[in-house]
Structures are given as C-alpha cells and as structure tokens.
Amino acid sequence: MTLPYQIRFDQIEWETPMIGVRQKYADRDGRRIRLVEYSKGMPPHWCEKGHCGYLISGKMEIEYADGTITYCQGDGIYIPDGPSHKHRGKVLSDKALVFFMEKI
C-alpha cells in the first residue's frame, strides 16, 4: 500500500493553475495530495476547500475570518471546510512551498 507521503512528486509535472502558483497533485483514497509552490506574484485569492498542509520552505501569511497567522518553515497549516472559513494567502518570502492534503 502506498501512503500519501510516499508519492513520488519528482516524477509528476508541474502545472500552473494561476499566476504565481505552480502545483503537482495526485489522488489517493478520497484525498488529493498537492505540492504547491507560491511566489510573491500570486494575486490575492480565497479558498473554500478544507485542507491541511505543511510548510516545507518560505514564509506565508494566511488571513482567516477571525485573524491572520504567519507561517514559517516547518509549521503545519489547517484550513477548515466551508465558506465561513475563507482565507487569503500572501507570500512573504520570494517563494513558499507547501505540501497539502485535502478532501476530493
């Protein structure tokens, strides 16, 4: 059995779904595992899909409905489900690399 963190992301091509964002993703057991690279060129955006992640490198700020949290390398990130928990991401370093896991 292949566990989510054993996915070989080095064998998956990068996609560019929006300006300032590159990602690789694979689906496993009803979850999507994503490796996302954000840069300062990323426009402000909102995400309504719940997911948890781990900041591999860089520094980013996430604006939640009830406040803003700054994440640094090694921090775990949790973004709840639903539109009442919208957040906006802002990259503080040149790039931030995040490993996300989310419901499909």
Side-chain angles (χ1 to χ4, degrees):
M1 181 173 125
T2 301
L3 297 173
Y5 52 82
Q6 293 176 318
I7 290 170
R8 296 291 305 270
F9 277 101
D10 57 328
Q11 296 176 357
I12 301 173
E13 294 293 320
W14 286 101
E15 295 183 5
T16 306
M18 62 190 290
I19 294 169
V21 178
R22 294 197 315 159
Q23 69 178 25
K24 301 181 182 193
Y25 68 88
D27 294 339
R28 290 285 187 273
D29 302 322
R31 300 220 176 234
R32 174 165 290 165
I33 292 83
R34 294 190 300 144
L35 183 66
V36 184
E37 181 189 82
Y38 297 104
S39 73
K40 283 187 173 180
M42 173 189 70
H45 70 289
W46 295 94
C47 179
E48 298 180 29
K49 193 169 191 179
H51 49 275
C52 56
Y54 179 82
L55 190 60
I56 297 172
S57 65
K59 189 174 181 182
M60 70 185 302
E61 192 174 79
I62 297 183
E63 178 185 329
Y64 294 87
D66 56 355
T68 300
I69 298 176
T70 300
Y71 294 93
C72 299
Q73 181 176 337
D75 288 344
I77 298 170
Y78 173 62
I79 300 166
D81 284 314
S84 62
H85 297 290
K86 288 182 181 179
H87 77 277
R88 185 169 71 172
K90 177 182 178 187
V91 178
L92 302 178
S93 54
D94 288 339
K95 289 184 179 177
L97 194 64
V98 187
F99 180 85
F100 280 126
M101 196 167 181
E102 62 191 15
K103 295 176 189 174
I104 294 176

